[in-house]
Amino acid sequence: MIKKISSFGDQAVLCDFGEEVTKEVNSNVISVFKIVQSKISNKEIIGIKNCVPSYNKLLISFDLQLIDLKKVLHFIENLNFATESISQLGKNWKLPVCYDEEFGIDQENVSKSTGLNIDKIIDLHQKTNFYVYMIGFMPGLPYMGDLDSSLYVPRLETPRVEIAEGSVIIAEKFCCIFPRTSPCGWSIIGRTPAKLFDQSNKEHPSLLSPGDTVELYRMDKNSFSKFDPRELGC
């Protein structure tokens, strides 16, 4: 499962699961992540501060005053994945997206790049059952794959200084949703009124988590303005 474990600075270790970016590899990352988190919660290990999963890596940081590198490595190397009963099932979300041209400002460019008309682009985008590989770049931002290969487009040559919160963006095999206003170099094809990150929610500030799946459905501009994020149960 874990291909390689190496120190990462003096207070962290990096678990490497290989170079591929696939659901299978990522599910292994999430499996170890959940097991470690469970053992931290159950106080089976003291001194591990944080675990951060990515596509195919897991960063585990620790407090040198409470535990040393040797003990952390021993803990990881002796995890018995066969006997752990951590559920791998993530939540399934249905999120609305408005593809109005005001919001999907790069639809024309995506159409030129892919050779598909805008209706086909939107249709293929909605039909994708997205898988959340990781949360990164900023709090609450999901990296979702796998986009239909006919929609693959490169990143913009010149990133925008600012794009709006809720912007739905694509590049290569991934789709992301921006939880707040930020610079961005990906193509914008729509916007969601769903709130991806709520700092006031201390237990679950991020709506989505690694391992979740996301289905997108189309909404018109009028419905967008009236949407209440509480409809998602968050």
Side-chain angles (χ1 to χ4, degrees):
M1 185 178 281
I2 300 175
K3 305 293 185 184
K4 180 182 176 183
I5 305 173
S6 55
S7 58
F8 195 82
D10 60 352
Q11 296 189 67
V13 295
L14 186 67
C15 300
D16 190 333
F17 293 74
E19 295 304 314
E20 292 184 304
V21 179
T22 65
K23 288 182 183 179
E24 181 181 0
V25 170
N26 187 254
S27 67
N28 288 336
V29 176
I30 295 170
S31 175
V32 177
F33 167 71
K34 288 184 175 181
I35 290 169
V36 174
Q37 289 289 80
S38 175
K39 291 188 178 295
I40 293 172
S41 297
N42 294 332
K43 294 183 170 53
E44 295 179 49
I45 181 75
I46 303 296
I48 291 181
K49 298 191 296 184
N50 198 18
C51 297
V52 182
S54 70
Y55 298 129
N56 48 23
K57 307 286 189 293
L58 179 67
L59 184 68
I60 301 176
S61 59
F62 56 91
D63 187 337
L64 271 175
Q65 294 184 330
L66 300 175
I67 194 170
D68 60 28
L69 174 61
K70 185 177 179 180
K71 289 180 180 179
V72 173
L73 292 175
H74 182 268
F75 164 72
I76 297 170
E77 290 167 351
N78 286 275
L79 291 174
N80 190 339
F81 305 113
T83 61
E84 297 292 344
S85 58
I86 303 296
S87 172
Q88 295 305 301
L89 296 177
K91 292 183 178 180
N92 179 257
W93 299 90
K94 297 182 186 295
L95 303 182
V97 176
C98 180
Y99 295 95
D100 187 89
E101 61 182 358
E102 177 187 339
F103 298 146
I105 58 177
D106 289 317
Q107 290 176 7
E108 286 288 350
N109 290 334
V110 172
S111 178
K112 291 176 183 177
S113 178
T114 62
L116 302 173
N117 63 47
I118 292 174
D119 286 338
K120 184 63 175 177
I121 290 168
I122 294 171
D123 180 60
L124 288 172
H125 190 248
Q126 288 181 98
K127 285 181 177 177
T128 302
N129 187 25
F130 288 103
Y131 173 84
V132 180
Y133 278 88
M134 69 175 190
I135 304 296
F137 180 63
M138 68 175 68
L141 190 151
Y143 282 81
M144 308 187 301
D146 296 301
L147 198 63
D148 188 293
S149 60
S150 60
L151 295 181
Y152 284 15
V153 291
R155 297 172 187 240
L156 303 178
E157 290 186 9
T158 304
R160 291 186 173 88
V161 174
E162 183 177 285
I163 68 169
E165 176 182 339
S167 292
V168 178
I169 58 178
I170 60 173
E172 299 165 352
K173 68 182 290 184
F174 291 102
C175 173
C176 292
I177 303 174
F178 264 53
R180 62 179 175 81
T181 301
S182 172
C184 180
W186 293 24
S187 295
I188 306 169
I189 63 170
R191 191 182 301 175
T192 179
K195 192 170 185 62
L196 274 288
F197 187 79
D198 182 2
Q199 194 169 0
S200 66
N201 187 334
K202 301 301 182 183
E203 290 189 13
H204 302 288
S206 178
L207 178 66
L208 306 179
S209 299
D212 287 354
T213 55
V214 179
E215 297 176 59
L216 304 174
Y217 65 91
R218 190 172 187 171
M219 70 175 354
D220 59 31
K221 198 172 177 181
N222 185 52
S223 299
F224 180 95
S225 63
K226 296 178 179 179
F227 182 79
D228 185 345
R230 289 175 295 184
E231 294 179 30
L232 297 173
C234 54

